[in-house]
């Protein structure tokens, strides 16, 4: 399977990195290149079918939608039989659930998975929460709105990775943990993405930037410290697949977080905001100058009218008219 088609590479890096890792996990786990029956819970709008084009993929989520293989459903009450799917996955969904529903959600994933289960999320990690706060504030200041998903992340406690893994083990799964989304890369690229987002003139640049990163630097994103982690579960011991899975992410810590590049992006955004603000100020100053010229013109017209009235009042015709008018009144 090639993950480098233009339609995939142009995806936002954050989507590409998690869906590609899931697809690579599926390719390693599939027995003898067998076609898998896969369920993704919480994947609206569907993206996974594009990464697993040769598998049967069902995607469920709560919004209504008309997509092939998509079913509107509640992840805590899935309308499927026990162990109906070879692989069940949920990516960056667990953290959006209220804490008291996460256990039921994981139970449903375990119930419907015949062989394999993958749960990925930004679990509890203070550095990741601080990175989200930075991006939330960046979007609010730079773009003028509050990002609904980051706001939800910050309002709810992140899932506990240890507790989630314990729940999978209790349900009979062997587990592995994989790092995905190296944190300093994630922070830098999120700043770049939302700096370019929402401005039509920057859309081609945004797509090229995402494609460049996804094609050349995806591998470097799968190491600690990571924004998210994949919990990979198997009902049987992983056996020879374990080495392949562990090779998907580096177990060696990354070098010290490279925050200078992030600061550079934020400084560029600040300068751009300043430039746009100066442009708006210049536009308003030009408008004010035009209005001042209009006022001066009106003043000149008013002065002309005053002079005309003065001349009119001093004319013989006006004096005669005034005399006759007063006589008529008396």
């Amino acid at each position: 399977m090639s993950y480098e088609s233009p339609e995939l590479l142009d995806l936002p890096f954050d989507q590409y990195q998690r869906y590609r890792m899931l697809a690579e996990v599926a390719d390693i786990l599939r027995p003898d290149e067998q076609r898998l029956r896969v369920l993704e819970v919480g994947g609206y709008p569907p993206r996974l079918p594009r990464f697993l084009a040769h598998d049967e993929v069902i995607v469920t989520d709560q919004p209504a939608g008309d997509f092939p293989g998509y079913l509107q459903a509640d992840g805590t009450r899935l309308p499927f039989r026990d162990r109906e799917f070879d692989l069940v996955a949920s990516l960056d969904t667990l953290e959006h659930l209220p804490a008291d529903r996460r256990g039921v959600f994981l139970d449903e994933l375990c119930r419907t998975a015949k062989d394999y289960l993958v749960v990925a999320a930004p679990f509890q990690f203070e550095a990741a929460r601080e990175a989200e706060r930075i991006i939330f504030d960046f979007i609010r200041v730079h773009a003028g709105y509050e990002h609904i998903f980051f706001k939800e992340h910050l309002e709810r406690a992140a899932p506990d990775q240890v507790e989630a893994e314990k729940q999978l083990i209790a349900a009979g799964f062997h587990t592995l943990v994989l790092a995905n989304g190296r944190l300093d890369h994630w922070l830098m690229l999120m700043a770049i993405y939302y700096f370019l987002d929402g401005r039509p003139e920057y859309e081609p640049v945004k797509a090229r930037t995402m494609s460049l990163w996804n094609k050349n630097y995806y591998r470097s994103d799968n190491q600690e410290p990571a924004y998210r982690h994949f919990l990979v579960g198997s009902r049987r011991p992983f056996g020879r697949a374990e080495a392949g899975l562990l090779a998907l992410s580096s177990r060696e810590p990354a070098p010290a977080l490279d925050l200078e590049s992030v600061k550079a992006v934020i400084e560029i955004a600040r300068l751009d905001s300043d430039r746009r603000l100066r442009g708006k100020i210049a536009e308003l100053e030009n408008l004010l100058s035009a209005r001042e010229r209009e006022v001066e013109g009106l003043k000149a017209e008013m002065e002309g009218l005053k002079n005309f009235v003065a001349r009119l009042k001093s004319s013989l015709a006006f004096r005669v008219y005034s005399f006759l008018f007063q006589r008529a009144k008396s």
Side-chain angles (χ1 to χ4, degrees):
M1 168 67 187
S2 172
Y3 307 109
E4 297 187 358
S5 65
E7 66 167 337
L8 297 183
L9 290 174
D10 285 353
L11 285 171
F13 81 97
D14 189 57
Q15 295 174 15
Y16 181 86
Q17 65 185 199
R18 62 183 186 253
Y19 278 103
R20 176 167 174 175
M21 176 166 272
L22 175 56
E24 290 179 333
V25 166
D27 286 341
I28 291 170
L29 292 175
R30 73 175 70 246
D32 302 321
E33 300 188 3
Q34 170 186 321
R35 186 170 184 260
L36 298 177
R37 190 156 194 256
V38 180
L39 171 66
E40 184 191 8
V41 183
Y44 181 89
R47 301 179 186 90
L48 184 57
R50 296 155 65 183
F51 284 84
L52 295 177
H54 301 298
D55 294 310
E56 179 188 354
V57 180
I58 303 296
V59 178
T60 70
D61 209 335
Q62 292 191 338
D66 184 16
F67 302 96
Y70 178 76
L71 178 67
Q72 185 179 16
D74 182 347
T76 62
R77 293 181 299 171
L78 293 171
F80 304 112
R81 300 187 306 274
D82 293 357
R83 303 195 180 192
E84 186 168 342
F85 296 90
D86 301 309
L87 169 64
V88 174
S90 180
L91 308 183
D92 285 24
T93 297
L94 186 63
E95 70 275 15
H96 292 286
L97 294 170
D100 60 357
R101 296 183 64 204
R102 291 171 182 168
V104 178
F105 181 81
L106 290 175
D107 283 342
E108 280 293 271
L109 301 185
C110 294
R111 180 185 67 79
T112 52
K114 183 177 74 172
D115 297 314
Y116 306 111
L117 176 62
V118 176
V119 180
F123 291 100
Q124 290 179 11
F125 178 31
E126 181 51 36
R129 297 294 77 72
E130 179 60 22
E132 288 183 326
R133 282 189 284 270
I134 290 171
I135 295 302
F136 179 79
D137 289 341
F138 176 83
I139 295 170
R140 181 172 50 80
V141 172
H142 179 67
Y145 71 95
E146 293 188 343
H147 193 286
I148 184 171
F149 290 145
F150 285 129
K151 185 176 183 179
E152 197 169 77
H153 286 195
L154 297 173
E155 289 176 347
R156 293 176 175 169
D160 187 316
Q161 180 179 322
V162 173
E163 291 303 314
E165 188 172 9
K166 285 181 180 178
Q167 189 168 344
L168 268 60
I169 293 171
F173 288 91
H174 301 267
T175 60
L176 292 174
V177 179
L178 306 177
N180 181 249
R182 176 175 155 174
L183 188 56
D184 56 338
H185 291 180
W186 183 92
L187 181 58
M188 176 186 68
L189 286 162
M190 277 292 177
I192 291 173
Y193 182 87
Y194 284 105
F195 170 64
L196 299 173
D197 190 48
R199 300 169 65 179
E201 68 272 24
Y202 284 174
E203 283 300 313
V205 177
K206 184 175 73 173
R208 287 165 53 200
T209 302
M210 295 299 103
S211 181
L212 174 70
W213 186 270
N214 292 336
K215 184 174 183 178
N216 296 286
Y217 300 103
Y218 161 75
R219 288 291 174 205
S220 69
D221 277 341
N222 299 328
Q223 58 181 310
E224 301 288 1
Y227 172 72
R228 78 173 57 77
H229 290 84
F230 273 59
L231 296 181
V232 182
S234 173
R235 291 197 182 274
R236 298 180 296 276
F238 287 102
R240 287 182 295 179
E242 181 170 349
L245 291 170
L246 293 176
L248 293 178
S249 69
S250 172
R251 302 184 72 82
E252 296 297 323
L257 291 178
D258 177 15
L259 294 179
E260 291 305 313
S261 54
V262 179
K263 291 177 182 177
V265 171
I266 293 174
E267 178 64 11
I268 290 171
R270 185 189 67 78
L271 292 173
D272 181 71
S273 295
D274 289 348
R275 177 186 60 79
R276 286 190 288 159
L277 181 59
R278 287 194 298 271
K280 189 65 176 177
I281 291 172
E283 181 183 329
L284 291 173
E285 287 176 342
N286 291 335
L287 182 61
L288 179 60
S289 296
R291 294 293 181 267
E292 288 175 344
R293 289 193 296 271
E294 289 179 11
V295 170
E296 291 301 318
L298 290 172
K299 285 181 178 179
E301 289 183 19
M302 182 65 71
E303 191 63 30
L305 287 172
K306 286 181 179 179
N307 293 334
F308 172 76
V309 170
R311 291 195 303 272
L312 181 63
K313 287 182 176 180
S314 64
S315 67
L316 176 61
F318 183 81
R319 292 199 301 272
V320 170
Y321 171 79
S322 296
F323 173 76
L324 294 175
F325 181 75
Q326 292 297 329
R327 289 285 302 270
K329 285 178 64 177
S330 61

